[in-house]
Amino acid sequence: MTSIASAFVPVHDPVAAADWYREHLGLTVESASSFSAVLTDGSRRVTLMGPRSGIAATPGLPWASASYRVDDVARTAAALRERGLDVSDVAGDPSVCLFVTTRDLDGNVVLLVDR
């Protein structure tokens, strides 16, 4: 059986980016260095790849490389706005998926979904 090991997001500073994802999305930082940072929700992982990692991807992705499931999209969007983040309006179809987007420290699109 194949399983997903990690999604990758290019960042300028993995340590600072890890703090952003911890603070705003509540992810746990498993490790962080100048090369990369590994974040988890307890079972799935996201790896923030810095320039020293050798990954030739430029931060500021205009599309989401991963989606993050939240309990309540509207409530999460409101909380992120209170923290000063620019968050899209809730979009999607309630019978399929509701979502919002924001951007992380490096300008990467962050997609928050309800399922």
Side-chain angles (χ1 to χ4, degrees), residues 24-113:
H24 296 294
L25 300 186
L27 296 175
T28 299
V29 179
E30 282 189 351
S31 64
S33 72
S34 61
F35 290 90
S36 65
V38 177
L39 311 173
T40 185
D41 66 358
S43 62
R44 288 163 296 275
R45 296 172 7 164
V46 172
T47 303
L48 308 176
M49 305 300 294
R52 295 186 66 200
S53 70
I55 299 296
T58 303
L61 297 176
W63 44 270
S65 61
S67 62
Y68 303 89
R69 186 174 46 221
V70 297
D71 292 331
D72 184 314
V73 171
R75 188 176 64 225
T76 300
L80 292 174
R81 285 185 191 107
E82 286 178 14
R83 294 181 185 158
L85 297 181
D86 184 22
V87 180
S88 71
D89 291 334
V90 175
D93 180 339
S95 66
V96 178
C97 179
L98 294 176
F99 66 91
V100 295
T101 60
T102 190
R103 291 193 178 262
D104 68 12
L105 279 183
D106 294 285
N108 296 303
V109 171
V110 175
L111 177 62
L112 305 170
V113 299

